[in-house]
Coordinates of all heavy atoms in Angstrom, one line a residue:
K171 N -18.1 15.6 -29.9 CA -19.2 14.6 -30.2 C -18.8 13.2 -30.0 O -19.5 12.4 -29.3 CB -19.9 14.8 -31.6 CG -21.0 13.9 -31.8 CD -21.7 14.1 -33.2 CE -22.9 13.2 -33.4 NZ -23.5 13.5 -34.7
Q172 N -17.7 12.8 -30.6 CA -17.1 11.5 -30.4 C -16.7 11.1 -28.9 O -17.0 10.1 -28.5 CB -15.9 11.2 -31.3 CG -15.5 9.8 -31.3 CD -16.5 8.9 -32.0 OE1 -17.2 9.3 -32.9 NE2 -16.5 7.7 -31.4
L173 N -16.1 12.1 -28.3 CA -15.9 12.0 -26.8 C -17.2 11.6 -26.1 O -17.2 10.8 -25.2 CB -15.2 13.2 -26.3 CG -13.7 13.4 -26.7 CD1 -13.2 14.8 -26.1 CD2 -12.8 12.3 -26.2
A174 N -18.2 12.4 -26.4 CA -19.5 12.2 -25.8 C -20.0 10.8 -26.0 O -20.4 10.1 -25.1 CB -20.5 13.2 -26.1
L175 N -19.9 10.3 -27.2 CA -20.5 9.0 -27.6 C -19.8 7.9 -26.9 O -20.4 6.9 -26.5 CB -20.5 8.9 -29.2 CG -21.5 9.7 -29.9 CD1 -21.1 9.6 -31.4 CD2 -22.9 9.2 -29.8
I176 N -18.5 8.0 -26.8 CA -17.8 6.9 -26.2 C -17.9 6.8 -24.7 O -17.3 5.8 -24.1 CB -16.3 6.9 -26.7 CG1 -15.6 8.2 -26.1 CG2 -16.2 6.7 -28.1 CD1 -14.0 8.2 -26.5
Q177 N -18.6 7.7 -24.1 CA -18.9 7.6 -22.6 C -19.9 6.6 -22.4 O -20.3 6.3 -21.2 CB -19.2 8.9 -22.0 CG -18.2 10.1 -22.2 CD -16.8 9.7 -21.8 OE1 -16.6 9.3 -20.7 NE2 -15.8 10.0 -22.7
N178 N -20.6 6.1 -23.5 CA -21.8 5.3 -23.3 C -22.9 5.8 -22.5 O -23.4 5.1 -21.6 CB -21.3 3.9 -22.9 CG -20.4 3.1 -23.7 OD1 -20.5 3.3 -25.0 ND2 -19.5 2.3 -23.2
P179 N -23.2 7.1 -22.7 CA -24.3 7.7 -21.9 C -25.7 7.2 -22.2 O -25.9 6.7 -23.4 CB -24.1 9.2 -22.1 CG -23.6 9.2 -23.5 CD -22.7 8.0 -23.7
Q180 N -26.6 7.5 -21.3 CA -28.0 7.4 -21.8 C -28.5 8.4 -22.7 O -29.3 8.2 -23.6 CB -28.9 7.2 -20.5 CG -28.6 6.1 -19.6 CD -29.2 6.2 -18.2 OE1 -28.9 7.1 -17.5 NE2 -30.0 5.3 -17.8
I181 N -28.0 9.6 -22.4 CA -28.4 10.8 -23.2 C -27.2 11.7 -23.5 O -26.4 11.8 -22.7 CB -29.5 11.6 -22.4 CG1 -30.7 10.8 -22.1 CG2 -29.9 12.9 -23.1 CD1 -31.6 11.4 -21.1
I182 N -27.2 12.4 -24.7 CA -26.2 13.4 -25.0 C -27.0 14.7 -25.3 O -28.0 14.7 -26.0 CB -25.3 13.0 -26.2 CG1 -24.5 11.9 -25.9 CG2 -24.4 14.2 -26.6 CD1 -23.7 11.3 -27.0
L183 N -26.6 15.7 -24.6 CA -27.3 17.0 -24.8 C -26.3 18.0 -25.5 O -25.3 18.2 -25.0 CB -27.7 17.6 -23.4 CG -28.2 19.0 -23.4 CD1 -29.6 19.1 -24.2 CD2 -28.6 19.4 -21.9
N184 N -26.8 18.5 -26.6 CA -26.1 19.5 -27.3 C -26.1 20.8 -26.5 O -27.1 21.3 -26.2 CB -26.7 19.8 -28.7 CG -25.9 20.8 -29.5 OD1 -24.7 20.8 -29.5 ND2 -26.6 21.6 -30.2
A185 N -24.9 21.2 -26.1 CA -24.8 22.4 -25.2 C -23.6 23.1 -25.5 O -22.5 22.9 -25.0 CB -24.8 22.0 -23.7
P186 N -23.7 24.1 -26.4 CA -22.5 25.0 -26.7 C -22.1 25.7 -25.5 O -22.8 26.2 -24.7 CB -23.1 26.1 -27.7 CG -24.3 25.3 -28.3 CD -24.8 24.5 -27.3
P187 N -20.8 25.6 -25.2 CA -20.2 26.0 -23.9 C -19.9 27.4 -23.6 O -18.8 27.8 -23.2 CB -18.9 25.2 -23.9 CG -18.4 25.2 -25.3 CD -19.8 25.2 -26.1
K188 N -20.8 28.3 -23.9 CA -20.7 29.8 -23.7 C -21.5 30.1 -22.5 O -22.3 31.1 -22.5 CB -21.1 30.5 -24.9 CG -20.3 30.2 -26.2 CD -18.9 30.5 -26.1 CE -18.1 30.2 -27.4 NZ -16.6 30.5 -27.3
D189 N -21.2 29.5 -21.3 CA -22.0 29.7 -20.2 C -21.2 29.8 -19.0 O -21.7 29.7 -17.8 CB -23.0 28.7 -20.1 CG -22.3 27.3 -20.1 OD1 -21.1 27.2 -20.1 OD2 -23.1 26.3 -20.1
G190 N -19.9 30.2 -18.9 CA -19.1 30.4 -17.7 C -18.8 29.1 -17.1 O -18.2 29.1 -16.0
T191 N -18.8 28.0 -17.8 CA -18.5 26.8 -17.2 C -16.9 26.4 -17.4 O -16.3 27.0 -18.2 CB -19.3 25.5 -17.9 OG1 -19.0 25.6 -19.3 CG2 -20.7 25.7 -17.7
L192 N -16.4 25.5 -16.6 CA -15.1 25.0 -16.9 C -15.0 24.5 -18.2 O -13.9 24.7 -18.8 CB -14.6 24.0 -15.7 CG -13.3 23.5 -15.7 CD1 -12.3 24.6 -15.5 CD2 -13.1 22.5 -14.7
R193 N -15.9 23.8 -18.7 CA -15.9 23.3 -20.1 C -15.8 24.4 -21.1 O -15.0 24.2 -22.1 CB -17.1 22.4 -20.3 CG -17.4 21.9 -21.8 CD -18.5 21.0 -21.9 NE -19.7 21.5 -21.5 CZ -20.6 22.0 -22.4 NH1 -20.3 21.9 -23.7 NH2 -21.8 22.4 -22.0
G194 N -16.5 25.4 -20.8 CA -16.4 26.6 -21.7 C -15.1 27.3 -21.7 O -14.6 27.6 -22.9
A195 N -14.5 27.5 -20.5 CA -13.2 28.1 -20.4 C -12.2 27.2 -21.1 O -11.3 27.8 -21.8 CB -12.9 28.3 -19.0
A196 N -12.2 25.9 -21.0 CA -11.3 25.0 -21.6 C -11.5 25.1 -23.2 O -10.5 25.2 -23.9 CB -11.5 23.5 -21.3
S197 N -12.8 25.1 -23.7 CA -13.0 25.3 -25.1 C -12.4 26.6 -25.7 O -11.9 26.6 -26.7 CB -14.6 25.2 -25.4 OG -14.8 25.3 -26.7
D198 N -12.5 27.6 -24.9 CA -11.9 28.9 -25.3 C -10.4 28.9 -25.5 O -9.8 29.6 -26.2 CB -12.4 30.0 -24.4 CG -13.8 30.4 -24.5 OD1 -14.5 30.1 -25.5 OD2 -14.3 31.1 -23.6
L199 N -9.8 27.9 -24.8 CA -8.4 27.8 -24.9 C -8.0 26.7 -26.0 O -6.8 26.4 -26.1 CB -7.8 27.3 -23.5 CG -7.9 28.2 -22.4 CD1 -7.6 27.5 -21.1 CD2 -7.0 29.4 -22.6
G200 N -9.0 26.2 -26.7 CA -8.7 25.3 -27.8 C -8.6 23.8 -27.3 O -8.1 22.9 -28.0

Side-chain angles (χ1 to χ4, degrees):
K171 182 177 182 179
Q172 189 60 38
L173 288 175
L175 286 168
I176 61 177
Q177 305 308 311
N178 297 328
Q180 296 167 299
I181 299 168
I182 295 175
L183 174 59
N184 182 41
K188 300 297 182 182
D189 52 4
T191 60
L192 184 58
R193 174 171 62 98
S197 179
D198 288 342
L199 293 170

